[in-house]
Amino acid sequence: MSKLQAPVMKNEYYDVTFEDLTHEGAGVAKIEGFPVFVENALPDERGKIKVIKVKKGFAYGRLIELYEKSKNRVEAPCPIYSQCGGCQLQHVSYEGQLDFKKKQVEQVLARIGKLDLNKVKVHPTLGMNDPWNYRNKAQVPIGEREGGLVAGFYQKRSHDIIDMERCLIQQAENDEVVKAVKKICEQYGIRAYNEEKHKGWLRHIMVRYGLVTQEMMVVFVTKTADFPHKNDIINKITKQFPHVKSIVQNINNKRTNVIFGDETKILWGDEYIYDKIGEIKFAISARSFYQVNPEQTKVLYEKALKYAGLTGAESVIDAYCGIGTISLFLAQKAKNVFGVEIVPEAIEDAKRNAELNGFTNAEFAVGEAEVVIPEWYKQGNKADVIVVDPPRKGCDEALLKTILDMKPKRVVYVSCNPGTLARDLQVLEQGGYETVEVQPVDMFPHTMHCEAVAWLELV
């Protein structure tokens, strides 16, 4: 359909009923079947919109007035919610968010995966009792305004930093440390990095927090390796926050949006802080991948462990194992676990975490899962259960082919992207597997992100 054929025109007003949400959280209305995406609109609402942009097959609109509100609409508690791009669903009741995420999973399983939802059980989304203050890592850009430092999140669709004292989905302890570190740096005349001019020094402040141990790490991401007033700044931080166990500097002198540079050095204290998920302890460095919501990570991994159906006699392969979080959960009940991950530092962390917890039945290898696991298979190594937890792009075709060749009796698929989960489940189903159950888990309340874990059996 061309712009000329579109049944809507830019700057015109329309009365519409909203039917759905996009994966970015915008309401979807249809005018003569033509979709119009409108921020801050919810399914089952009626209102007036103004069309602000018309594309080839869809349009964008602005909500002008609501005639009928959804029963799931609530007042967003965050004062900068309308400006900040960090959350997308604070204007939706938490029950409504959980329902939407289940529906999102069901829709893509049916549409992309071609799965029969009469046969595949999709459970209600597992949410949190208290869906606030859950993020254990604050990673905030630093800028300058009117001579002072600002620290916060980028405004929607811009690189303007919104100064923020409090984020309702961050651990309150992290916010307190970020605010204090910003103030301390201001006292010593520290200049923020300006990405347009490639000048200044302080790019980001990151704070990591161990939910169980209450240990904290502060990371300065800087343009150059020098550190003006280093000892004074460190002394003020450690005196004010005795839970801080590690202060780290990462140097990133490139013109890039990537947060971390290649060089990291310990300024004070330990290289690691520690935290626990369930009974398993993890060492966390400045650059370790560690789930930002450990409470829900435990829920997700316990479901993956249940779906693996381990009796103590099984060999398990954990593709995309990261720092060994799922691997060590599986090692509690498996005969042995073999993990593979492309990031060498993550594998070092995984080995360290296995040793830290006394696991002798978990081994880890560096490499691409789609290369290493086929090589293991050629060498005659088979698995009774394969667990995959791929990035958002889903599993590589070579890995899916190896799973189908290896024919483990069970596959557990942990997903951070329902769309690629559905695509990959279709491949596995066509290759002889049957999807038994899918469990959505809300790892990131008030955002559009939805995790899910699927259980597949060889038929």
Side-chain angles (χ1 to χ4, degrees):
M1 182 181 286
S2 72
K3 286 184 182 179
L4 294 175
Q5 295 171 306
V8 299
M9 291 180 63
K10 185 178 177 181
N11 294 328
E12 289 294 313
Y13 293 84
Y14 300 89
D15 287 345
V16 298
T17 299
F18 296 99
E19 303 174 12
D20 204 350
L21 285 178
T22 69
H23 296 307
E24 287 78 39
V28 182
K30 290 185 178 175
I31 298 171
E32 297 178 29
F34 189 81
V36 185
F37 306 136
V38 181
E39 278 193 9
N40 194 34
L42 298 178
D44 302 325
E45 293 189 325
R46 285 198 324 109
K48 177 183 283 187
I49 65 166
K50 179 182 180 180
V51 172
I52 55 176
K53 186 184 287 187
V54 181
K55 307 283 277 186
K56 188 175 180 181
F58 57 91
Y60 293 104
R62 182 181 297 122
L63 186 62
I64 303 300
E65 183 183 353
L66 271 180
Y67 304 141
E68 290 181 20
K69 292 184 179 181
S70 165
K71 66 179 182 0
N72 288 317
R73 179 173 287 277
V74 296
E75 195 68 35
C78 176
I80 58 170
Y81 174 62
S82 62
Q83 303 162 268
C84 176
C87 295
Q88 303 85 43
L89 293 178
Q90 279 196 25
H91 62 298
V92 185
S93 70
Y94 192 51
E95 185 181 334
Q97 292 180 36
L98 298 180
D99 287 345
F100 169 71
K101 290 181 181 184
K102 180 191 178 192
K103 184 181 175 186
Q104 181 187 349
V105 171
E106 288 177 329
Q107 284 176 335
V108 295
L109 290 181
R111 190 180 74 249
I112 299 172
K114 311 299 182 193
L115 298 184
D116 183 350
L117 297 183
N118 292 317
K119 295 180 180 177
V120 179
K121 175 70 174 173
V122 179
H123 294 282
T125 308
L126 294 174
M128 300 184 73
N129 292 329
D130 179 8
W132 302 99
N133 310 119
Y134 59 84
R135 289 186 62 91
N136 60 9
K137 181 173 76 170
Q139 194 165 265
V140 296
I142 307 299
E144 288 185 13
R145 193 171 300 142
E146 297 168 3
L149 296 180
V150 293
F153 293 116
Y154 291 118
Q155 191 164 346
K156 290 178 185 175
R157 294 177 291 279
S158 85
H159 263 237
D160 294 334
I161 296 169
I162 302 170
D163 200 24
M164 177 199 65
E165 295 275 302
R166 182 84 185 87
C167 172
L168 298 182
I169 63 171
Q170 290 281 3
Q171 291 286 343
E173 293 81 358
N174 285 358
D175 284 338
E176 288 301 312
V177 173
V178 169
K179 187 165 67 173
V181 171
K182 180 184 75 170
K183 188 175 178 182
I184 291 166
C185 287
E186 273 186 332
Q187 290 169 0
Y188 288 98
I190 296 297
R191 299 300 303 271
Y193 173 71
N194 182 309
E195 64 181 0
E196 288 181 11
K197 298 177 181 176
H198 196 50
K199 289 184 177 178
W201 184 74
L202 183 58
R203 299 176 73 128
H204 281 77
I205 295 170
M206 184 174 89
V207 181
R208 307 196 78 150
Y209 177 65
L211 189 64
V212 174
T213 63
Q214 298 185 336
E215 294 179 357
M216 302 188 84
M217 172 185 286
V218 177
V219 182
F220 292 86
V221 181
T222 64
K223 178 176 177 278
T224 54
D226 60 316
F227 199 119
H229 307 287
K230 178 175 75 173
N231 292 337
D232 291 332
I233 289 172
I234 288 172
N235 287 339
K236 287 210 167 191
I237 293 171
T238 53
K239 188 175 180 182
Q240 192 171 344
F241 298 100
H243 286 316
V244 171
K245 302 296 182 188
S246 173
I247 299 179
V248 176
Q249 181 183 13
N250 175 269
I251 298 98
N252 182 359
N253 61 9
K254 297 176 183 174
R255 283 182 174 270
T256 176
N257 290 334
V258 176
I259 293 174
F260 281 114
D262 296 330
E263 183 185 352
T264 304
K265 55 185 182 181
I266 313 303
L267 301 178
W268 177 90
D270 303 323
E271 184 179 354
Y272 302 94
I273 61 169
Y274 295 90
D275 199 17
K276 292 181 79 175
I277 301 177
E279 297 303 311
I280 302 172
K281 192 174 185 181
F282 294 97
I284 306 158
S285 66
R287 299 190 62 181
S288 289
F289 173 78
Y290 183 68
Q291 293 279 11
V292 298
N293 186 346
E295 182 182 329
Q296 286 296 88
T297 299
K298 181 172 182 282
V299 171
L300 182 74
Y301 289 178
E302 282 178 345
K303 182 59 69 171
L305 183 59
K306 180 183 176 185
Y307 281 173
L310 302 176
T311 65
E314 293 85 4
S315 289
V316 182
I317 288 176
D318 177 14
Y320 314 100
C321 70
I323 65 168
T325 38
I326 293 183
S327 300
L328 299 185
F329 260 71
L330 296 164
Q332 295 174 106
K333 295 194 174 181
K335 180 182 177 184
N336 44 50
V337 177
F338 301 93
V340 58
E341 168 64 52
I342 194 170
V343 182
E345 295 85 354
I347 289 294
E348 289 307 308
D349 284 348
K351 290 175 178 177
R352 185 177 295 105
N353 288 326
E355 190 176 334
L356 185 65
N357 291 278
F359 285 109
T360 57
N361 62 335
E363 297 179 28
F364 300 96
V366 177
E368 296 178 344
E370 55 268 24
V371 174
V372 173
I373 295 173
E375 197 57 42
W376 284 346
Y377 180 60
K378 285 180 192 171
Q379 294 166 5
N381 297 324
K382 291 190 176 182
D384 302 297
V385 179
I386 289 183
V387 178
V388 296
D389 184 7
R392 291 191 62 78
K393 67 179 182 179
C395 289
D396 189 274
E397 282 182 36
L399 176 59
L400 293 173
K401 183 178 184 305
T402 302
I403 292 172
L404 296 177
D405 289 341
M406 194 180 280
K407 292 184 171 56
K409 63 182 181 182
R410 191 170 287 206
V411 175
V412 179
Y413 193 130
V414 180
S415 167
C416 61
N417 183 344
T420 53
L421 167 68
R423 180 200 69 198
D424 292 347
L425 290 187
Q426 185 184 28
V427 174
L428 293 170
E429 290 239 345
Q430 289 170 347
Y433 282 87
E434 184 177 84
T435 306
V436 182
E437 293 181 16
V438 178
Q439 175 65 69
V441 178
D442 191 23
M443 294 280 283
F444 306 101
H446 312 295
T447 79
M448 290 298 298
H449 297 296
C450 182
E451 306 260 332
V453 55
W455 160 18
L456 296 97
E457 289 278 347
L458 186 65
V459 291

